Amino acid sequence: MKKITVAAILSSTLFISGNLYAESTSLTNENIQGSWILEHTKKSGQTVKREDTWVFNNDGTVTIKHIPREGGYYDQSPVKYDVKDGKLKIAILGRAGKFDKFSLVNKGDKIMILKARFGDVYQFIKK
């Protein structure tokens, strides 16, 4: 019984420390620059494959390209974005003063995972 308790405590500690490490990674204007391919999104355990590319520019704008629609693809016009306190805020096209907000789950040189305001998880790969 003691072995099970010790194992449970140890695994809980490792899980919590792993989550703390992931959350402590900071998102900045500098490390988000460039093109990121959105591989998929997840919500409530359901994974949706995606094909769009998000291009973060030095001028504070992001352009979402190659968005599938009705058998073709289109590019969204650039919108403003801001990184403040490690959170990403992207203006919603055509809705003045409205933003999509994302928090960082994990960030590496070639991977970025963001969590949207309502729990959707966005997984990107650096292009």
Side-chain angles (χ1 to χ4, degrees), residues 44-113:
S44 304
Q46 182 181 11
T47 301
V48 177
K49 186 173 173 5
R50 299 287 296 262
E51 301 177 43
D52 35 324
T53 301
W54 296 25
V55 182
F56 293 91
N57 301 304
N58 290 332
D59 65 357
T61 62
V62 60
T63 304
I64 302 175
K65 298 181 175 189
H66 201 256
I67 302 168
R69 186 175 199 179
E70 299 175 6
Y73 296 91
Y74 74 99
D75 296 344
Q76 176 182 298
S77 298
V79 293
K80 292 286 187 187
Y81 78 90
D82 187 29
V83 177
K84 191 172 189 176
D85 299 325
K87 307 266 185 187
L88 174 63
K89 198 165 98 170
I90 299 177
I92 298 174
L93 187 64
R95 300 198 58 205
K98 300 292 183 181
F99 300 89
D100 282 326
K101 297 175 185 169
F102 301 88
S103 59
L104 183 66
V105 175
N106 193 5
K107 171 82 174 67
D109 291 339
K110 299 285 182 186
I111 191 168
M112 177 170 62
I113 302 173

Side-chain angles (χ1 to χ4, degrees), residues 33-50:
Q33 296 298 309
S35 297
W36 293 88
I37 298 170
L38 180 55
E39 282 193 311
H40 63 266
T41 57
K42 283 186 186 179
K43 184 174 184 174
S44 304
Q46 182 181 11
T47 301
V48 177
K49 186 173 173 5
R50 299 287 296 262

